[in-house]
Amino acid sequence: MRKKRFFSGIQPTGEIHIGNYLGAIKNWLNLLESGEYEGIISIVDYHAITMPYEKKEMQDRIRKCAATLMACGVNPDNSLLFVQSQVPQHTELSWILTCSSNMGELERMTQYKDKSKGSESIGVGLFSYPILQTADIVLYKAPFVPVGEDQIQHLELAREIVRRFNKRFGKVFPEPKPILGEAKRIMGLDGGSKMSKSLGNSISLTDSGKPLWKKLASAKTDEKRKLRTDPGVPEDCNVYNSYHLYFSSSEDHNKIQEGCTSASMGCVDCKKILLANMEKSLGPIAERYQELMETPQQIDDFLQKSAIKCREIAEETMQEVRQKMGLR
Ligand code: TRP
């Protein structure tokens, strides 16, 4: 049976956090493990340069991102994993789709509004970011896009752009459908905003031991629970909602419900249970990550071979696009 194709992208932040993992990567892995899907996964460096960055850090960020994904289970048997800027057709198609997009629909994007808030000079790259994202997906004619909740709006726009293009030039692209994972918005350690590396409230996928404990120890819990003797409400606690729910067993959930609401268990004890559970599920990923980083040849090989294959697929699509548009 022919496998269904999905496309997804991830920014090379250098440190993939558990918000990325629970919101998107786990979703990819579930699809890959089902045996029904093949993945085309891009480390989107062209998206990353829409914000200020240190040029000397970029290659390291890309390699760490690739190593983390490979440590999670993305491999040459189930996926192509490549760096976006190594497939120039992404920017070519992005320009073409720019000419099928309009300002109003881009101005409505929440991510754009959030990221440009307060700045007096807004980059055009930040503005047209969702068009490049659309190009990423449709270059491979991928019908499915596993993403976190925050990307749903971009996917809706992608479908709109695709419909417009197909109507004008004839059907080339399928309308990409999002596949949402189970995890809702994963909040940061501060409990007040979405987990994000730039906000400094994130837990890295490869954190363990002391550094992990330091972060968990600082995490906000139920604010109404001021004293150890006050009973708490797990549903009002970010540590419970964002982390225990995903890393702890239902047995532990029951234990915490009971202990927290009766004040027989303190927040520190509750966080210790979380630490043990997180180390159990993330420990093997951290170990494989270390091994991969010590033998980077494996990583670079995978990225390069994938890029060759992706350029082939992408060029085939582009020939069809240029021809349909009367460009060749
Ligand atoms: N914008 C996505 C994010 O910030 C990353 C991304 C780029 C992407 N291109 C994509 C996701 C294509 C899905 C499909 O998470």
Side-chain angles (χ1 to χ4, degrees):
M1 196 191 73
R2 216 188 141 88
K3 290 190 179 182
K4 294 181 262 191
R5 177 176 287 176
F6 76 72
F7 183 97
S8 201
I10 186 163
Q11 289 219 23
T13 51
E15 181 195 277
I16 293 182
H17 56 64
I18 62 169
N20 304 130
Y21 178 68
L22 297 170
I25 301 170
K26 259 214 119 167
N27 192 357
W28 309 347
L29 297 170
N30 288 339
L31 298 177
L32 293 174
E33 279 158 17
S34 75
E36 287 176 39
Y37 289 84
E38 57 174 9
I40 300 187
I41 296 167
S42 184
I43 299 175
V44 292
D45 51 350
Y46 277 154
H47 280 103
I49 62 172
T50 57
M51 295 298 268
Y53 71 103
E54 283 294 338
K55 95 176 182 198
K56 62 177 189 308
E57 287 170 6
M58 185 55 97
Q59 289 315 307
D60 191 48
R61 283 166 53 183
I62 290 173
R63 188 178 273 164
K64 283 182 175 156
C65 180
T68 311
L69 296 177
M70 289 172 74
C72 289
V74 173
N75 67 54
D77 293 328
N78 60 26
S79 299
L80 297 170
L81 175 68
F82 73 103
V83 180
Q84 187 186 32
S85 65
Q86 292 190 8
V87 182
Q89 287 87 349
H90 285 254
T91 40
E92 184 183 358
L93 184 56
S94 183
W95 174 253
I96 286 173
L97 296 179
T98 297
C99 300
S100 280
S101 309
N102 53 59
M103 306 275 290
E105 61 194 1
L106 289 165
E107 272 159 1
R108 281 198 294 277
M109 294 294 112
T110 341
Q111 183 171 309
Y112 162 72
K113 285 195 269 186
D114 287 348
K115 287 199 178 176
S116 61
K117 208 182 285 164
S119 44
E120 49 196 79
S121 154
I122 300 167
V124 176
L126 198 59
F127 184 66
S128 49
Y129 179 115
I131 306 178
L132 179 58
Q133 181 165 349
T134 305
D136 293 344
I137 301 164
V138 301
L139 199 45
Y140 304 94
K141 300 191 176 181
F144 302 105
V145 189
V147 280
E149 243 188 350
D150 63 324
Q151 295 299 314
I152 291 296
Q153 200 188 25
H154 285 168
L155 262 283
E156 269 162 23
L157 176 60
R159 283 203 298 279
E160 184 60 38
I161 296 173
V162 161
R163 272 196 289 273
R164 204 175 289 137
F165 181 95
N166 285 343
K167 203 165 157 225
R168 197 163 157 205
F169 298 111
K171 185 164 189 280
V172 180
F173 306 119
E175 288 178 29
K177 282 187 227 34
I179 300 182
L180 270 182
E182 299 145 45
K184 293 277 165 300
R185 226 155 88 103
I186 304 297
M187 304 296 277
L189 292 161
D190 55 3
S193 31
K194 202 183 95 164
M195 185 173 286
S196 132
K197 185 172 182 242
S198 54
L199 293 176
N201 65 7
S202 61
I203 302 173
S204 161
L205 205 49
T206 51
D207 277 341
S208 62
K210 265 208 185 132
L212 177 56
W213 176 247
K214 244 181 102 181
K215 289 188 180 175
L216 294 183
S218 76
K220 275 254 173 61
T221 53
D222 175 7
E223 285 189 299
K224 293 183 295 320
R225 189 177 187 193
K226 297 221 162 53
L227 302 173
R228 168 71 172 76
T229 47
D230 294 341
V233 182
E235 285 74 19
D236 292 343
C237 174
N238 185 46
V239 168
Y240 186 78
N241 287 329
S242 285
Y243 318 135
H244 268 300
L245 272 191
Y246 302 104
F247 290 105
S248 300
S249 63
S250 51
E251 230 165 71
D252 279 342
H253 294 164
N254 292 340
K255 201 156 95 187
I256 292 161
Q257 282 285 353
E258 158 70 29
C260 178
T261 51
S262 66
S264 60
M265 183 191 285
C267 292
V268 175
D269 303 321
C270 174
K271 287 175 173 179
K272 288 226 163 107
I273 299 176
L274 177 63
L275 175 72
N277 292 339
M278 286 183 73
E279 288 199 312
K280 203 163 127 217
S281 57
L282 301 180
I285 297 179
E287 242 170 68
R288 280 197 296 274
Y289 173 82
Q290 288 308 338
E291 285 164 18
L292 282 156
M293 288 301 282
E294 281 158 23
T295 50
Q297 195 57 43
Q298 268 186 82
I299 307 171
D300 298 346
D301 268 2
F302 186 18
L303 291 176
Q304 257 168 38
K305 291 207 175 97
S306 300
I308 293 173
K309 186 79 194 111
C310 286
R311 282 193 291 265
E312 272 172 35
I313 304 172
E315 184 49 29
E316 208 176 299
T317 305
M318 284 316 298
Q319 285 182 11
E320 188 184 345
V321 168
R322 293 184 206 111
Q323 190 242 328
K324 283 249 158 79
M325 296 178 72
L327 294 171
R328 189 168 295 174

